[in-house]
Amino acid sequence: MSQKAIAVLTSGGDAPGMNAAVRAVVRTGISKGMKVYGVSRGYNGLLTGDVTELNLRSVSDIIHRGGTVLYTARSEEYNTPAGVKKAADFCRELGVSGVVVIGGDGSFRGARDLTGEGIPCVGIPGTIDNDIACSEYTVGFDTAMNTAMEMVDKIRDTAQSHDRCSVVEVMGRRCGDIALQTGIAVGAASILVPEVEFDIERDVISRILNNQSTGKKHFIIVVAEGVGKVNELATYIQNRTGIESRATILGHVQRGGSPTLRDRVVASEMGYKAVSLLEEGIGNRVVAMKNGAIVDYDITEALNMKRVFDTNLYEIAHTISI
Ligand code: F6P
């Protein structure tokens, strides 16, 4: 019987910990007697033939590195039925009988389509946003939050020195998880997320004025990207309270940097699980975390799940920031 071969790719926005996942996939695959190919620039590599066979040493020295050594991309050509078929034909020519896709929801839709063309795929949630409904954790989330926390700590030094209010936007696309947890960790006076309706007067201005009446002189407001408009909000706060205010958009700094211990370990566990599924010939699955354990779901089922925002934690955040 010929040696089984699988491929691994990273797709969509990069996330710290993707390299640790790639490493785990390669090492698990080889230890199970498989050939493992690395695909460059997401699904594009399956269309252009940009793949390389990886060995144990190809993935040495990457567990601590941010970004993705495989590069990543969002492919327009792949997002067509003809593109998916071309990618599947290429996999068959190469003898690849399974693909591990590390990315977010968009990447999982691609994995579902490729499975539909006869190449079993398994997804690993890799995105800083923590916005994959089927998983309570996505690789990259912890590192991004810790980076955001460190950045806001620095902003706080200058806000404190000037008795200012700093309005800080963090990433997360339509998901408020980075904002919620970072907001708690930096002691934000208010946290605005797209999942919870808010009123600027009640949830920002009154909170600042109440805090001010008990002696607080500088303020941090954390705003999720999905809410946005931080410049307008800073101007509004300054006009309404008389407190000098500044806005900062943290941006892509949150996507880089060496992954935290949590991201490296979860990525390693998920990489191992993905290859174990492909070894059994099982595809169309997403690896996920549930109650701290690594599990897997059908991709279509996973894509139809609804994310649940932690309103309890949101309540706690606002209760203790008075
Ligand atoms: O999904 C990760 C993420 O960083 C989001 O938080 C953000 O909305 C988006 O990607 C930014 O994408 P790009 O790097 O393409 O500007």
Side-chain angles (χ1 to χ4, degrees), residues 4-282:
K4 191 176 172 89
I6 60 168
V8 55
L9 61 85
T10 50
S11 164
D14 62 326
M18 279 185 164
N19 285 329
V22 170
R23 173 180 177 273
V25 168
V26 172
R27 298 251 172 107
T28 307
I30 292 174
S31 76
K32 289 177 182 292
M34 302 173 185
K35 263 191 198 179
V36 186
Y37 291 98
V39 182
S40 292
R41 297 182 172 79
Y43 291 104
N44 274 339
L46 295 178
L47 301 175
T48 58
D50 196 355
V51 299
T52 315
E53 187 179 342
L54 302 174
N55 62 40
L56 294 173
R57 298 283 71 81
S58 313
V59 289
S60 290
D61 242 347
I62 65 167
I63 196 165
H64 63 297
R65 284 172 57 192
T68 161
V69 292
L70 292 179
Y71 300 87
T72 185
R74 299 178 174 112
S75 170
E76 280 185 24
E77 187 187 348
Y78 181 76
N79 280 334
T80 62
V84 178
K85 184 164 182 320
K86 186 172 168 188
D89 287 344
F90 175 72
C91 288
R92 272 186 283 271
E93 268 165 42
L94 198 64
V96 163
S97 61
V99 181
V100 178
V101 173
I102 308 166
D105 273 344
S107 312
F108 298 159
R109 279 190 280 277
R112 175 200 57 198
D113 296 346
L114 194 56
T115 306
E117 283 292 334
I119 307 295
C121 294
V122 177
I124 293 178
T127 163
I128 64 165
D129 299 339
N130 206 36
D131 62 349
I132 306 295
C134 71
S135 187
E136 61 200 24
Y137 191 78
T138 62
V139 172
F141 179 49
D142 191 55
T143 308
M145 286 189 299
N146 275 287
T147 301
M149 180 185 74
E150 280 173 32
M151 295 299 124
V152 180
D153 283 349
K154 291 178 201 292
I155 290 170
R156 188 198 190 101
D157 288 345
T158 162
Q160 181 264 322
S161 305
H162 286 266
D163 293 332
R164 279 178 178 163
C165 174
S166 266
V167 182
V168 186
E169 180 185 305
V170 297
M171 272 189 171
R173 210 179 287 268
R174 286 173 292 278
C175 178
D177 284 17
I178 296 179
L180 174 58
Q181 299 214 23
T182 304
I184 292 174
V186 301
S190 181
I191 303 167
L192 303 182
V193 296
E195 292 91 341
V196 180
E197 253 185 66
F198 55 84
D199 176 271
I200 298 290
E201 284 299 319
R202 182 193 64 207
D203 298 313
V204 179
I205 305 299
S206 297
R207 296 184 71 84
I208 290 176
L209 294 175
N210 287 342
N211 280 355
Q212 195 182 37
S213 71
T214 54
K216 193 166 169 65
K217 292 192 168 54
H218 62 277
F219 305 88
I220 303 287
I221 310 295
V222 173
V223 180
E225 178 185 14
V227 171
K229 298 196 173 104
V230 284
N231 287 301
E232 288 95 319
L233 182 57
T235 306
Y236 187 77
I237 291 170
Q238 182 161 313
N239 291 342
R240 279 285 287 109
T241 64
I243 300 165
E244 213 182 354
S245 299
R246 294 286 187 272
T248 307
I249 298 174
L250 288 187
H252 286 80
V253 68
Q254 297 159 99
R255 282 249 293 269
S258 181
T260 59
L261 178 145
R262 182 161 200 222
D263 279 326
R264 297 181 199 192
V265 173
V266 174
S268 301
E269 288 182 285
M270 289 184 166
Y272 177 88
K273 175 77 172 181
V275 177
S276 303
L277 289 165
L278 288 180
E279 187 188 21
E280 300 295 321
I282 302 171

